[in-house]
Amino acid sequence: MNKITAIRELEADKIRASASAACETLDWISDYVVAGVKTESIAKFCHDYLFQVKKIPAYDVTEEGDPVVTVYVSHNYIIAGGKPSSLRLQHGDIINVELKIQMDNCFSESSRMYMIGKPSPQKIAMVEAAFEAMSSGLEAVRPGATTGDVGHAIYTTISKMGFHTLINDSDFTERPAIPHLPSVGRPGAGIKLETGMIFILEPIIISRCADVERPSSRSILSTSDCSPTAHWKHIIAVTDEGCEVLTQPTFHKDGLLLSCIKPSQMDGMWRKKQAS
């Protein structure tokens, strides 16, 4: 990573608006991500909510021919780029749903993990590790810190929980170009963070023995041994006080801000629901 540009506040507002819509949608679909549902149905739920509730032309394309809204549903061992299909979710699956939205000529993206029923202990641990790694990264973001400080905080958390991370420091969103911060780093190394910088945090959790493959003809990234993987994605802005999560939703369901619920708390909610 060679540089992180400070984005003008006008662009930040546009990113914040589309990112908030994406995150609100990811909260709303939580009741519909259940066993028996096709992944293409999840994508349709997202499109319909954005179109009908948020009044975003979710089924249209831009003047450049790009989709206004793109939905990826990555299932179990699919790291990223999962194409919605007729595949039905099963009890014990974990999935990542990613929304990419273009509004006012600005792109934003956000993703969330969902657990279907009661996954295996390994899968739950991976989802938990991804959440904790993201939290550690957020705590390390502040003016004067470096990209190495953030990457070190993320990687330390992942290692303590017994997993590994996929190094991802070259991808950008399209307009404006928002870089992904590396999920590894040395304290004090890298670029010094300044107020106004915007970037993406996306710790990707894989097992230590997993290899990663990307077929040349496809955009899908997966583990070659079909071992599970997990990640969250947030767009972050550096502020004078620390950072702002631009993908922070304002949507509440049953008094809960679902995107802020830790996976272990979700497990407790699942147990309570089953007992009722």
Side-chain angles (χ1 to χ4, degrees):
M1 176 182 297
N2 296 320
K3 69 174 184 177
I4 306 176
T5 57
I7 294 178
R8 293 182 296 112
E9 185 59 30
L10 177 60
E11 290 178 313
D13 285 342
K14 292 179 180 179
I15 295 170
R16 189 180 291 108
S18 60
S20 178
C23 213
E24 180 177 318
T25 304
L26 292 174
D27 271 349
W28 180 80
I29 66 168
S30 60
D31 283 344
Y32 304 95
V33 183
V34 296
V37 173
K38 297 178 182 179
T39 59
E40 62 189 10
S41 297
I42 294 173
K44 186 177 186 303
F45 295 152
C46 291
H47 278 93
D48 286 350
Y49 184 83
L50 288 165
F51 179 70
Q52 297 174 11
V53 178
K54 304 304 295 181
K55 308 304 180 184
I56 294 173
Y59 290 99
D60 291 352
V61 296
T62 66
E63 292 181 359
E64 295 79 13
D66 301 315
V68 172
V69 173
T70 303
V71 183
Y72 298 105
V73 184
S74 299
H75 173 263
N76 288 333
Y77 64 92
I78 303 298
I79 296 171
K83 306 299 184 185
S85 69
S86 59
L87 174 72
R88 292 185 183 275
L89 300 179
Q90 297 183 28
H91 182 88
D93 287 343
I94 58 174
I95 66 167
N96 178 276
V97 180
E98 178 177 341
L99 278 179
K100 183 177 179 181
I101 301 177
Q102 179 176 356
M103 292 174 57
D104 295 327
N105 206 35
C106 273
F107 279 91
S108 72
E109 50 191 78
S110 182
S111 78
R112 179 100 39 92
M113 291 300 301
Y114 299 85
M115 298 187 290
I116 316 305
K118 181 67 172 177
S120 68
Q122 181 194 25
K123 288 180 177 179
I124 293 175
M126 280 192 153
V127 174
E128 185 81 20
F131 187 94
E132 294 296 344
M134 174 66 73
S135 299
S136 296
L138 293 176
E139 291 174 1
V141 176
R142 64 184 184 279
T146 67
T147 55
D149 294 334
V150 180
H152 179 73
I154 291 172
Y155 188 72
T156 298
T157 297
I158 294 171
S159 297
K160 285 181 178 179
M161 300 185 77
F163 297 108
H164 193 59
T165 184
L166 178 66
I167 299 175
N168 181 16
D169 62 353
S170 59
D171 290 339
F172 289 78
T173 58
E174 287 151 80
R175 287 187 301 275
I178 306 174
H180 288 70
L181 238 63
S183 296
V184 297
R186 291 184 295 106
I191 299 170
K192 183 174 290 187
L193 302 181
E194 300 175 1
T195 299
M197 289 180 172
I198 295 181
F199 54 85
I200 291 172
L201 280 185
E202 188 180 17
I204 297 175
I205 309 299
I206 57 176
S207 64
R208 291 189 179 276
C209 60
D211 291 323
V212 175
E213 63 180 8
R214 187 197 299 269
S216 58
S217 60
R218 302 165 63 194
S219 61
I220 295 175
L221 190 67
S222 65
T223 57
S224 58
D225 61 354
C226 295
S227 58
T229 179
H231 74 278
W232 257 269
K233 178 184 289 188
H234 276 309
I235 299 179
I236 310 299
V238 183
T239 67
D240 292 337
E241 294 76 26
C243 72
E244 176 189 358
V245 181
L246 300 184
T247 41
Q248 180 66 36
T250 57
F251 181 74
H252 293 252
K253 181 185 291 186
D254 299 328
L256 300 172
L257 194 59
L258 298 181
S259 60
C260 296
I261 297 175
K262 297 176 67 172
S264 58
Q265 294 172 314
M266 293 178 184
D267 178 37
M269 293 169 63
W270 180 87
R271 292 177 184 274
K272 183 177 179 180
K273 185 176 181 179
Q274 296 303 305
S276 62

